[in-house]
Amino acid sequence: MVLTMPAQSISAAELQQRVAVIKRFRELLRAQRDRFQVYLNTLDRQKDIIENGNADDLIRHVEMEEKIVEDIFSIQKVIDPLELMYNSTKKDDEVSNLKDVLEGLKSEAITRSARNRDMLAKRMVEIRSEIKSLKTNAYTRRNFDSGPKPTVVDISG
């Protein structure tokens, strides 16, 4: 990483602060990138679970997905102010590349999440139709009124 001096001279302390901001910003972008990778892997596993129809595994994956998304948002809260500070310094190519990768991962996560949501909606429609067919199946209904009606009840035991 090479920082060039602007036209006006800056103090050593300010330069150190700018370098620290860039380093921290880069670290947070890497962490965010890693979390998005974990999120994408979770979405892929969730896709397989939706296709297989295991409700317990699906519930666990949805809970895990919620935790990952919370983590992504909490890191983003720290990244946003650092990005403002970063924009006031000289640009670093690695940071710019990390930001581009993050944008790609975000759009991929949105796409996969939408795909899983659609698959889950279709699976729910299938399950509802299965439940309806079970309710209307003549063999699963119990008709208690079809037998002879009792006229005398033996209470002696």
Side-chain angles (χ1 to χ4, degrees):
M1 172 177 69
V2 177
L3 289 177
T4 58
M5 290 293 218
Q8 75 267 13
S9 180
I10 61 172
S11 69
E14 186 177 341
L15 180 62
Q16 287 177 348
Q17 181 183 9
R18 288 182 181 186
V19 169
V21 166
I22 291 173
K23 284 181 180 180
R24 182 67 179 141
F25 188 48
R26 187 182 316 131
E27 289 171 9
L28 287 171
L29 289 174
R30 285 181 183 152
Q32 190 75 314
R33 178 194 60 198
D34 295 342
R35 281 170 180 76
F36 267 104
Q37 277 302 134
V38 169
Y39 181 56
L40 291 174
N41 292 338
T42 301
L43 289 173
D44 285 340
R45 285 190 305 252
Q46 190 177 45
K47 174 186 169 259
D48 296 336
I49 290 171
I50 291 170
E51 289 172 347
N52 294 335
N54 188 337
D56 293 333
D57 287 343
L58 183 61
I59 289 170
R60 279 194 296 275
H61 271 278
V62 168
E63 289 170 352
M64 184 173 23
E65 178 185 356
E66 289 173 353
K67 289 177 186 173
I68 293 170
V69 169
E70 284 176 19
D71 196 26
I72 287 171
F73 280 121
S74 67
I75 288 181
Q76 192 63 45
K77 287 179 185 178
V78 177
I79 287 176
D80 290 340
L82 276 177
E83 186 169 11
L84 292 174
M85 293 170 69
Y86 166 77
N87 287 334
S88 68
T89 65
K90 288 289 186 184
K91 303 296 184 228
D92 181 18
D93 287 338
E94 184 180 356
V95 170
S96 298
N97 291 340
L98 281 170
K99 286 176 60 177
D100 293 341
V101 168
L102 265 179
E103 288 304 315
L105 288 172
K106 284 179 188 178
S107 64
E108 182 68 23
I110 290 168
T111 303
R112 289 185 192 182
S113 181
R115 178 197 62 202
N116 284 1
R117 208 174 24 255
D118 292 342
M119 287 177 59
L120 189 56
K122 288 176 186 175
R123 183 70 180 132
M124 288 175 63
V125 168
E126 291 172 4
I127 290 172
R128 285 185 183 121
S129 67
E130 287 176 22
I131 290 171
K132 282 184 180 180
S133 71
L134 287 175
K135 287 181 180 178
T136 59
N137 188 345
Y139 296 110
T140 60
R141 279 188 288 167
R142 296 199 174 143
N143 194 348
F144 294 108
D145 295 331
S146 64
K149 300 204 187 285
T151 54
V152 180
V153 177
D154 181 17
I155 59 170
S156 62

